Amino acid sequence: MIKIFISFATITTTCFFAPIQIQAQIQDQQPIPSLKETFKNEFLIGTALNTSQILEKDVTANKLITQQFNAATPENIMKAEIIHPTWNQFDFTLADKLVEYGRKNNIKINGHTLIWHSQLPRFVRQIKSPDSLAQFFADHITTIASHYDGKVLSWDVVNEALEENGSLRKSIFLQQLGEGYIVEAFRLAQKAAPHTELYYNDYNIEQPKKRAGAIEIIKKIKAAGVRIDGVGIQGHWRASKIPLAEIEQSILDFSALGVKVMFTELDLSVLPNPWDSDNADVSATAGNSKGKDPYPNGLPDSMQTILAKGYEDLFRLFLKHKDKISRITFWGVNDGQSWLNNFPIRGRTNYPTLFDRTYTAKPAFYAVIATKK
């Protein structure tokens, strides 16, 4: 039985979807529109896939994925701790299945990610010699990027290399290899994967200071004569406080550098934020307390409206700059899959995607669809 937690009477006339039509469509269980078809002339529409979805264990999820999305990014299986677990061992098993899944369903794959300070295998965290780390660095990028050259559309070559003030994150790579490690990562990826697009990916780079840091990275890569094809803005925002002006400026600033712009991990949290700023650092945690999980049994009408309006505003902005944006990827197929159920407080119930836990389209989904009308 499908549970609908929304009362369409609360939706104001400023929203652009038709409540009565939506309600009737859900009740009649008619086929819903397709995101990938709706925006086929504007940008790719992607989602993050977990292992169960890649292995097609959930029939309902698989039907929705193939109907709605034409791009996909793996949540975890291409991260170093899984694909390169020991010094001399690479495990391509799950990543190869993802590539096959994409080929079979005409879904373009974005590799995520070659160099990231988090989710490293234990042996890397124990390396103390810069020479040994440089050897790992080169072998890791060259082996994996070459294995998937021509099989994936793109790679997030370097992920989350910046602090909030725009300076380089004090990761193991910066500390042992120096500031040139980012340019070198792109140089190695370019050589190993000449038929693959190469991206820099980060969160909060729509914010002025961090954006300036990302611009500096892109300029340094280009000045070195190395290829960088795009920049990914992750898009982990609060539904009630989306920084639209900063997002628009980031689109303009990055595209002016001659690179593609993508929104790579889009989700809109509806839960109280324990901090006074957006934060997507997976190592950050906050203690649980009363009132921090306000909607364990379903999202109230008022919050459904806020979520729908947030997605509507974003997609109107994306459409305004459709000539500069190549992909929009949602970070999760449905609410139950979202990492935000456990970040930054474990065990909460969040509702940040376009589909609820039964894979039913939410008002936010129809708000996005309606931006094309």
Side-chain angles (χ1 to χ4, degrees):
M1 180 177 179
I2 298 174
K3 293 181 70 178
I4 306 296
F5 295 112
I6 49 180
S7 171
F8 292 101
T10 64
I11 298 175
T12 67
T13 56
T14 58
C15 292
F16 288 84
F17 47 91
I20 296 175
Q21 293 178 4
I22 295 169
Q23 190 174 36
Q25 191 171 45
I26 293 174
Q27 290 175 341
D28 295 341
Q29 297 186 20
Q30 295 296 315
I32 64 173
S34 168
L35 290 164
K36 68 179 182 181
E37 289 300 320
T38 299
F39 298 101
K40 64 183 178 181
N41 296 322
E42 285 77 31
F43 24 69
L44 293 171
I45 298 292
T47 189
L49 297 181
N50 61 29
T51 300
S52 176
Q53 292 160 348
I54 293 166
L55 296 178
E56 302 180 65
K57 291 184 177 181
D58 186 330
V59 174
T60 304
N62 189 62
K63 182 178 179 181
L64 185 70
I65 292 163
T66 55
Q67 178 199 48
Q68 295 293 327
F69 304 105
N70 51 18
T73 301
E75 280 188 334
N76 290 301
I77 62 166
M78 284 181 161
K79 292 172 182 172
E81 66 179 357
I82 293 177
I83 204 168
H84 192 176
T86 65
W87 184 271
N88 292 316
Q89 178 192 7
F90 290 87
D91 187 350
F92 297 119
T93 305
L94 289 173
D96 284 352
K97 289 184 182 297
L98 171 64
V99 169
E100 175 57 24
Y101 182 87
R103 186 201 63 77
K104 181 172 63 175
N105 294 295
N106 197 27
I107 293 174
K108 297 184 184 301
I109 304 300
N110 173 61
H112 180 75
T113 171
L114 289 173
I115 296 299
W116 188 33
H117 65 275
S118 189
Q119 291 184 242
L120 291 168
R122 181 178 298 179
F123 80 88
V124 175
R125 297 195 300 270
Q126 295 172 342
I127 293 175
K128 304 301 181 185
S129 163
D131 289 341
S132 294
L133 185 63
Q135 187 64 56
F136 158 79
F137 188 87
D139 289 348
H140 181 80
I141 294 173
T142 300
T143 302
I144 297 171
S146 62
H147 183 85
Y148 291 107
D149 185 36
K151 299 178 183 178
V152 300
L153 171 68
S154 53
W155 270 107
D156 293 331
V157 178
V158 177
N159 191 54
E160 299 177 3
L162 290 168
E163 302 283 6
E164 294 306 300
N165 64 5
S167 65
L168 291 179
R169 182 188 292 271
K170 297 176 179 61
S171 67
I172 185 175
F173 302 110
L174 178 65
Q175 291 172 339
Q176 294 199 34
L177 303 180
E179 294 186 2
Y181 85 89
I182 298 177
V183 172
E184 183 62 17
F186 277 84
R187 192 192 313 276
L188 289 165
Q190 174 182 267
K191 183 178 179 180
H195 305 101
T196 306
E197 295 184 3
L198 309 178
Y199 305 150
Y200 175 73
N201 188 62
D202 212 330
Y203 61 89
N204 285 357
I205 53 173
E206 75 283 351
Q207 295 300 321
K209 290 182 179 179
K210 202 167 185 178
R211 185 198 316 152
I215 288 171
E216 187 67 18
I217 285 174
I218 295 168
K219 287 182 175 179
K220 285 184 177 180
I221 294 169
K222 285 180 167 287
V226 176
R227 178 165 58 89
I228 177 171
D229 300 294
V231 59
I233 303 168
Q234 290 186 12
H236 300 297
W237 297 305
R238 287 171 281 179
S240 60
K241 196 176 181 180
I242 302 172
L244 293 169
E246 288 83 359
I247 294 168
E248 182 166 32
Q249 191 61 53
S250 71
I251 295 169
L252 296 172
D253 288 354
F254 289 134
S255 63
L257 298 174
V259 297
K260 297 179 181 180
V261 178
M262 289 142 285
F263 290 86
T264 56
E265 303 182 17
L266 181 59
D267 49 30
L268 299 181
S269 178
V270 297
L271 299 188
N273 192 324
W275 305 299
D276 192 31
S277 62
D278 293 312
N279 187 353
D281 187 337
V282 293
S283 65
T285 58
N288 207 341
S289 62
K290 186 177 180 180
K292 296 297 185 183
D293 188 23
Y295 315 122
N297 300 313
L299 200 60
D301 301 352
S302 59
M303 292 308 301
Q304 290 279 12
T305 302
I306 289 172
L307 182 67
K309 187 62 166 63
Y311 272 114
E312 176 190 317
D313 289 344
L314 273 173
F315 268 77
R316 290 195 179 281
L317 179 60
F318 296 158
L319 287 170
K320 179 181 177 181
H321 296 288
K322 61 186 180 181
D323 59 319
K324 305 174 185 68
I325 299 171
S326 60
R327 171 167 55 92
I328 310 294
T329 293
F330 297 89
W331 205 240
V333 177
N334 78 342
D335 290 340
Q337 180 188 347
S338 176
W339 71 299
L340 290 173
N341 292 300
N342 291 308
F343 178 87
I345 300 171
R346 294 194 63 82
R348 298 201 296 176
T349 310
N350 213 325
Y351 304 84
T353 74
L354 301 185
F355 298 93
D356 70 17
R357 284 164 169 77
T358 68
Y359 296 103
T360 300
K362 294 153 61 176
F365 169 86
Y366 293 97
V368 167
I369 294 291
T371 61
K372 275 298 296 294
K373 295 180 180 178

